[in-house]
């Protein structure tokens, strides 16, 4: 796949080779993210960071990734403070804002909105989440994390067994991650959710067509021989009513004793975050915070590397990053 000048809208754009390219470039970003070196390869470039839906880590890590490559970030946050609230079309907003930026990252509550926006843009657009549809950069950072965790244990992505738990209907991260995983060989999926929040049929069909083994259950039961346990949040903002969402709150908890009961000692715990830590939800308990297999903060750190890689590739500077680097003189606890 050619990256330069391309939009990143869906995981359907990727094959195994392009994923490997992203992983290789992400690995090369480590010294910059660890503050051992700095690079000015994107000096003068501007990222338009448009977030029309709530976000902390995706928005800030896109911005941080761009800054770490030496570029500047202009941010628009919230629908009500933008001209979309005055009835402007996504096409017009894109046409205008792409005149002010070299690349755009965008999140929006409607499925398909980022692709529609991209049609009006004169610069590459990266999808930071479009409604319940897709979240390609999260899926890439999740896959990058899975790969690293598997390599650490001497394994690989091929042949893994992953349990996905919670809101598989509205959770865009599990949609995109499932599709990326389906590019690998013999992946086993155990999908655990209430019937009403099950994985969409279209994705199940794709997994089936690619020959993967899929088990669907409504409860966490017995002992599961899984490598990865991927927990999710009930996406309450996508339900018709809060009352409807409340029915599922707290149904899928994970804490130390539940983990020990159902998972093997090597099972890696992942979550795209934010985790709902309210007492009546508590989907990923603080009593797992010090667990060595809890990979949630490794995921968030990896998000910067993967987003740096995507910026470098889409702006065509991936081979120039070290040419523009210098030493770092300040103290950093990350090194
Ligand atoms: C996820 C999202 O926004 O889809 N968060 C994220 O980007 N890391 C998951 C969620 O909000 O539950």
């Amino acid at each position: 796949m050619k990256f330069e000048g391309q939009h990143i809208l869906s995981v359907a754009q990727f094959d195994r080779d392009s994923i490997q390219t992203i992983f290789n470039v992400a690995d090369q970003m480590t010294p910059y993210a660890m503050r051992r070196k700095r690079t000015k390869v994107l000096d003068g470039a501007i990222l338009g960071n448009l977030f029309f839906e709530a976000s902390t880590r995706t928005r800030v890590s896109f911005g941080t990734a761009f800054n770490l490559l030496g570029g500047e970030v202009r941010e628009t946050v919230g629908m009500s403070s933008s001209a979309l609230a005055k009835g402007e079309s996504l096409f017009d907003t894109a046409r205008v804002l792409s005149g002010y930026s070299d690349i755009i990252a965008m999140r929006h509550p409607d499925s398909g909105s980022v692709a529609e926006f991209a049609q009006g843009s004169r610069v590459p657009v990266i999808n930071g989440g479009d409604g319940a549809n897709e979240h390609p950069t999260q899926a890439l950072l999740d896959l990058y994390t899975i790969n690293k965790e598997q390599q650490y244990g001497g394994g690989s992505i091929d042949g893994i067994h992953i349990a996905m738990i919670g809101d598989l209907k509205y959770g865009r991260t599990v949609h995109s991650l499932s599709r990326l995983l389906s590019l690998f060989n013999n992946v086993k999926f155990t999908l655990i959710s209430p019937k009403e929040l099950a994985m969409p049929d279209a994705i199940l069909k794709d997994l089936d067509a690619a020959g993967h083994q899929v088990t669907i259950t409504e409860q966490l039961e017995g002992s599961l021989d899984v490598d990865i346990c991927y927990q999710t949040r009930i996406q309450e903002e996508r339900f018709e009513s809060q009352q409807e969402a409340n029915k599922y709150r707290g149904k899928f908890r994970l804490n130390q004793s539940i983990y020990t009961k159902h998972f093997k000692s090597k099972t890696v715990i992942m979550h795209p975050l934010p985790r709902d830590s309210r007492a009546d939800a508590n989907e990923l308990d603080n009593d797992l915070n010090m667990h060595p297999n809890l990979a949630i903060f490794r995921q968030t750190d990896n998000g910067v590397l993967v987003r740096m890689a995507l910026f470098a590739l889409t702006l065509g500077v991936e081979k120039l990053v070290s040419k523009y680097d210098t030493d770092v003189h300040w103290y950093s606890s990350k090194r």
Side-chain angles (χ1 to χ4, degrees), residues 57-58 107 135 138 172-173 233 235 272-274:
R57 74 220 80 235
T58 304
R107 169 174 289 189
H135 197 344
Q138 179 72 40
R172 55 192 170 198
T173 70
R233 180 180 65 87
Q235 307 282 293
L273 301 183

Side-chain angles (χ1 to χ4, degrees), residues 48-274:
N49 212 20
L50 313 182
F51 276 74
F52 299 115
E53 194 187 51
S55 175
T56 303
R57 74 220 80 235
T58 304
R59 177 175 57 83
V60 178
S61 70
F62 268 123
T64 301
F66 209 73
N67 287 150
L68 286 170
L69 290 167
E72 287 172 42
V73 182
R74 302 273 158 77
E75 217 154 67
T76 300
V77 173
M79 197 80 88
S80 58
S81 55
S82 89
L84 291 175
K86 297 181 180 174
E88 185 170 61
S89 67
L90 285 168
F91 184 93
D92 284 6
T93 305
R95 185 70 177 72
V96 172
L97 292 180
S98 61
Y100 307 155
S101 327
D102 295 289
I103 189 161
I104 290 175
M106 183 191 172
R107 169 174 289 189
H108 189 284
D110 297 339
S111 291
S113 53
V114 183
E116 188 184 332
F117 178 94
Q119 286 175 7
S121 175
R122 289 175 288 170
V123 301
V125 174
I126 303 186
N127 184 357
D130 60 324
N133 185 36
E134 278 227 39
H135 197 344
T137 64
Q138 179 72 40
L140 287 166
L141 79 87
D142 286 340
L143 194 71
Y144 182 76
T145 305
I146 292 171
N147 192 39
K148 280 201 160 171
E149 301 287 322
Q150 285 293 105
Q151 279 179 348
Y152 184 69
S156 70
I157 302 176
D158 289 314
I160 64 160
H161 184 182
I162 183 167
M164 294 179 170
I165 305 176
D167 186 351
L168 309 184
K169 177 180 180 188
Y170 295 118
R172 55 192 170 198
T173 70
V174 285
H175 300 165
S176 294
L177 179 58
S178 299
R179 290 207 148 111
L180 275 191
L181 282 170
S182 80
L183 297 172
F184 290 78
N185 300 327
N186 303 322
V187 179
K188 271 166 94 180
F189 293 82
T190 296
L191 305 178
I192 305 167
S193 74
K195 265 207 295 295
E196 302 79 17
L197 301 184
M199 184 69 86
D201 283 340
I203 295 174
L204 293 176
K205 271 200 197 119
D206 287 352
L207 298 183
D208 191 47
H212 301 297
Q213 186 186 317
V214 181
T215 306
I216 297 174
T217 72
E218 288 192 60
Q219 297 294 337
L220 195 50
E221 274 168 346
S223 70
L224 291 172
D225 186 25
V226 302
D227 302 294
I228 309 284
C229 161
Y230 192 99
Q231 177 74 318
T232 64
R233 180 180 65 87
I234 301 297
Q235 307 282 293
E236 43 183 50
E237 64 277 30
R238 311 214 188 283
F239 284 74
E240 305 232 316
S241 70
Q242 184 63 47
Q243 221 181 358
E244 178 69 14
N246 288 347
K247 288 204 289 198
Y248 305 104
R249 180 176 299 157
K251 278 234 156 125
F252 294 95
R253 288 165 192 259
L254 190 62
N255 58 27
Q256 180 68 64
S257 74
I258 295 171
Y259 175 81
T260 312
K261 184 168 168 209
H262 295 290
F263 297 102
K264 58 184 182 183
S265 62
K266 278 164 92 179
T267 302
V268 172
I269 305 164
M270 294 177 65
H271 191 304
L273 301 183

